[in-house]
Amino acid sequence: MTALHPHSTDVLKTEYQKSVASYWNNNPNDDRVNTKLGEVDGLYHHHYGIGEPDLSVLEGPEETRQERIVRELHRLETAQADLLLDQLGDVRPGDRLMDGGSGRGGTSFMANQRFGCQVDGVTISEYQVGFANEQARERGVAEKVTFHFKNMLDTGFETGSRRGIWTNETTMYVDLHELFAEFARLLEPGGRYVCITGCSNDVFGARSASVSWIDAHYGCNIHPRSEYFKALAANNLVPVAVTDLTPATIPYWELRTRSELATGVEKPFLTSYQEGSFQYLMIAADKVGR
């Protein structure tokens, strides 16, 4: 078990936050997926994939089929991160970006490679901070990409210091109004926030059994779609693009059911996406005013 940082009480302010941190510090089952996919090329993600899979990976020699599936799942997850970064707009090498809930750092490294700028990742998992900073050293980018044991609800970073911020499947662990208030503080006027998240579909009505199962599995609190737009509007974050990625992610989940790494969460994801009770959404929003 990972030992608590001496100042962890400054970062983990509630019992729930402590439990979330403990989950990501100590959960070998879900982390096994992230680890095996990350070993493909050294980019470790903590999100899911989009796009049409190459189903030829299911053909050919059986003894290498699982390896081919892993490589294809990883390609789809990297494509998701690329699509997110596409939404950040005009980012210059002198700008600073922040990855909220940065995991093992995959998207942060991709952002630095694409834009050449400073990237700060924040996560409440001390294990992830250590892993990602070691990755930064191995990649020779430690001066540009840094990971911090910080709470994204209260980062302590300077007001107006960020050109862009993103969250990639992390908002379901926090209060959206608190989160977007902090992001609005950090963003410079005209700065861009990009979010990819799963959210429950208000049109469907009450939370479905599958969405509740996902909540219970990850110890999270999936928000309704409408709550994102209420919280953005309340914090001067104005959407410029909203994309429903649900159809683009279903093939990823179908392929994942064929993997030996499947954790059992695949069925509720597929059921909830296909019945319409759960949506995979990408939102890009600009900070207006000061």
Side-chain angles (χ1 to χ4, degrees), residues 98-120:
M98 192 185 91
D99 184 350
S102 48
R104 284 190 174 91
T107 311
S108 293
F109 293 123
M110 290 173 65
N112 168 258
Q113 187 172 30
R114 181 187 290 212
F115 302 118
C117 63
Q118 176 78 36
V119 182
D120 291 287

Side-chain angles (χ1 to χ4, degrees), residues 88-163:
L88 284 172
D90 183 23
V91 178
R92 307 294 176 87
D95 290 331
R96 299 183 72 183
L97 302 176
M98 192 185 91
D99 184 350
S102 48
R104 284 190 174 91
T107 311
S108 293
F109 293 123
M110 290 173 65
N112 168 258
Q113 187 172 30
R114 181 187 290 212
F115 302 118
C117 63
Q118 176 78 36
V119 182
D120 291 287
V122 299
T123 171
I124 59 173
S125 166
E126 292 172 275
Y127 162 72
Q128 291 177 350
V129 171
F131 185 100
N133 278 327
E134 180 58 32
Q135 285 283 105
R137 286 188 287 274
E138 291 177 6
R139 290 172 171 271
V141 296
E143 292 184 2
K144 283 282 197 175
V145 186
T146 309
F147 299 91
H148 309 263
F149 177 51
K150 286 181 178 291
N151 192 320
M152 63 181 177
L153 297 176
D154 181 19
T155 63
F157 291 142
E158 318 88 78
T159 297
S161 62
R162 308 290 143 167
R163 173 65 194 163

